[in-house]
Amino acid sequence: MADSTEPRRGDRLRVMISCGEPSGDLYAGALASEILKLEPDAAITGFGSERLRAAGASLVRDFKGLSVTGLTEALRVIPRSWQNYRALVRAAESERPDVFVPIDFPDFNFFLARALHKRGVPIVYYISPQLWAWRRGRLKTMKRVTDRVLVIFPFEKPFYDEAGVPATFVGHPLLELTGPPVPRDTFLRARGLDPSKPVVAILPGSRRNELRAILPDLVRTSGAIAARVPAAQFIVARAPHLDDELLAPLAEWPAHATRPVVIEGETDAVLASADVAVVASGTVTVQAALHGCPMVVVYRVGPLTYKLGKPLLHVNTYAMVNLVAGTRVVPELIQDAFTPEAAAAEALRVLTDPAHAAKVKRDLADVRARLGTAGASRRAAEAVIEIARAGRERRSLS
């Protein structure tokens, strides 16, 4: 006979989470883990990948192959996105969640949030989309459908407060997810690298269109760096589950430059060991800041995407680390400004000017301090559970 103290299936807290790219999956997994620590019997379902699944969630669909950037690039994945959307709506109709937690990925999650809101599901948006940067018209939707927005950057809360959107600053989850790496000497020696020589990290991104647009010029950038600093060693940090063909530009590695070591799934260790990193704009800029690694931020999208999107921007800087700092503490080379020569010049400035490198590291330490304290995932989990329980109570009284 079942223990009478065990919760009945219908009493289990039901949480649906949706994320659409590797960084979101990282945060989703951490959030799910914290929810289950607080509510061990919770049933978590949703849209994600390995990390969310490993944390104990039951995936309705996996987002592999859907992560792209750009207006025109997104058109190619619409059919699969629609299939995933319908599957998640059907899952929510079959077993109604007590709360839905979209994590960033707004082009998909806004549609899903609207659908679940219409079905009476409370919405807690975690890792807010960058509405302060562009497409501010979406604020109306955010205000209409969300019960709360959980923001991870300090400048986001005043933005949402002014718009009348309930927002809570929980801090950045990377503060707790970025553990102490292997000592630099140990990490480098284990990969055949010399700790006494400069190390340049190359991080070309995790999306297919990012690598195709960026990696060839990062290879040329490395050649330009090696021409000035022949002792430079190179590490290419490969995002998990990338097709090998996306790394084909590495076959064109300059003959005069030391061959790169390609490392998968150890971004934190790579950044902690590098003297400078050349990175595709994204979450990795925050990771680099947490490790105090000076960086050169680069980015490029399709010409049409850039032309259509630029007039919609409300910021004059792109890299998250610069937005947090409130000033440009690391160089950004976006679109036409990203050339191998320009990227190499910025990296060489770090490698050859100790005073400049020291200043950048001080600025990055200030960025880290602005990101709050560790425990963002736990604070987010507490907020999600609070909203879910409040929604249950409202339904029981209606």
Side-chain angles (χ1 to χ4, degrees):
M1 183 175 179
D3 187 336
S4 62
T5 63
E6 290 182 3
R8 297 185 301 275
R9 181 175 177 81
D11 293 334
R12 299 174 68 190
L13 201 69
R14 307 197 67 83
V15 180
M16 178 176 276
I17 298 175
S18 172
C19 59
E21 54 193 352
S23 60
D25 193 44
L26 176 66
Y27 305 146
L31 175 65
S33 293
E34 292 298 331
I35 290 173
L36 289 170
K37 288 176 186 176
L38 295 168
E39 293 282 338
D41 296 302
I44 302 176
T45 61
F47 181 53
S49 198
E50 276 83 359
R51 291 181 183 271
L52 182 54
R53 182 186 291 111
S58 173
L59 297 189
V60 177
R61 289 291 179 96
D62 193 302
F63 63 62
K64 284 181 184 176
L66 288 178
S67 183
V68 296
T69 53
L71 303 173
T72 57
E73 293 85 346
L75 295 175
R76 302 189 191 104
V77 299
I78 285 178
R80 282 186 59 199
S81 294
W82 175 248
Q83 292 170 5
N84 292 328
Y85 165 82
R86 290 301 307 154
L88 287 158
V89 171
R90 285 194 299 269
E93 290 173 337
S94 174
E95 291 196 77
R96 184 187 186 280
D98 295 301
V99 65
F100 171 54
V101 186
I103 295 180
D104 201 2
F105 206 53
D107 290 331
F108 180 85
N109 277 333
F110 263 66
F111 281 103
L112 191 54
R114 281 196 292 262
L116 269 60
H117 173 71
K118 288 178 182 177
R119 289 160 174 80
V121 178
I123 312 293
V124 178
Y125 214 121
Y126 182 39
I127 317 294
S128 162
Q130 298 174 4
L131 304 186
W132 36 265
W134 80 310
R135 300 185 73 174
R136 290 189 178 182
R138 284 177 163 176
L139 268 173
K140 294 179 181 177
T141 300
M142 186 72 89
K143 185 175 182 178
R144 186 175 72 252
V145 306
T146 59
D147 293 76
R148 192 175 304 177
V149 180
L150 305 179
V151 299
I152 62 173
F153 295 109
F155 62 84
E156 293 178 307
K157 180 170 168 51
F159 171 78
Y160 282 108
D161 286 345
E162 186 177 342
V165 178
T168 301
F169 172 56
V170 296
H172 205 296
L174 281 180
L175 287 168
E176 71 235 27
L177 296 173
T178 303
V182 176
R184 181 179 187 271
D185 284 15
T186 303
F187 178 77
L188 295 177
R189 290 188 198 283
R191 285 148 187 85
L193 300 174
D194 185 345
S196 68
K197 295 179 180 178
V199 175
V200 179
I202 305 294
L203 294 96
S206 61
R207 303 177 181 98
R208 297 173 64 87
N209 60 316
E210 283 179 338
L211 272 83
R212 290 191 173 119
I214 293 171
L215 186 54
D217 273 350
L218 291 183
V219 170
R220 299 182 188 101
T221 297
S222 302
I225 292 171
R228 283 277 311 278
V229 182
Q233 305 167 106
F234 299 88
I235 300 176
V236 175
R238 172 179 179 166
H241 313 301
L242 287 177
D243 293 339
D244 288 340
E245 59 95 4
L246 294 172
L247 298 180
L250 295 180
E252 304 300 319
W253 196 262
H256 66 278
T258 303
R259 291 293 302 173
V261 175
V262 179
I263 298 176
E264 180 176 335
E266 297 186 74
T267 301
D268 286 314
V270 171
L271 291 169
S273 301
D275 296 287
V276 66
V278 188
V279 308
S281 184
T283 301
V284 71
T285 67
V286 178
Q287 285 180 273
L290 295 181
H291 290 291
C293 179
M295 72 196 88
V296 181
V297 180
V298 303
Y299 211 70
R300 183 183 293 135
V301 294
L304 181 58
T305 295
Y306 188 73
K307 183 177 181 180
L308 293 174
K310 195 170 190 308
L312 304 176
L313 288 171
H314 300 279
V315 294
N316 58 11
T317 188
Y318 295 83
M320 193 59 67
V321 66
N322 289 337
L323 288 163
V324 173
T327 186
R328 194 163 293 197
V329 298
V330 299
E332 301 177 9
L333 302 172
I334 309 300
Q335 208 64 10
D336 292 342
F338 170 32
T339 66
E341 295 76 20
E346 295 290 356
L348 286 164
R349 188 179 178 201
V350 173
L351 293 175
T352 62
D353 185 343
H356 172 68
K359 181 182 183 305
V360 174
K361 289 181 179 181
R362 288 195 300 272
D363 290 340
L364 294 178
D366 180 63
V367 168
R368 191 188 195 288
R370 290 170 182 254
L371 292 174
T373 58
S377 299
R378 171 56 67 100
R379 290 187 285 270
E382 291 169 345
V384 167
I385 292 170
E386 176 190 339
I387 296 295
R389 294 207 172 283
R392 275 192 170 190
E393 186 174 345
R394 287 195 300 271
R395 291 199 310 277
S396 68
L397 295 175
S398 61

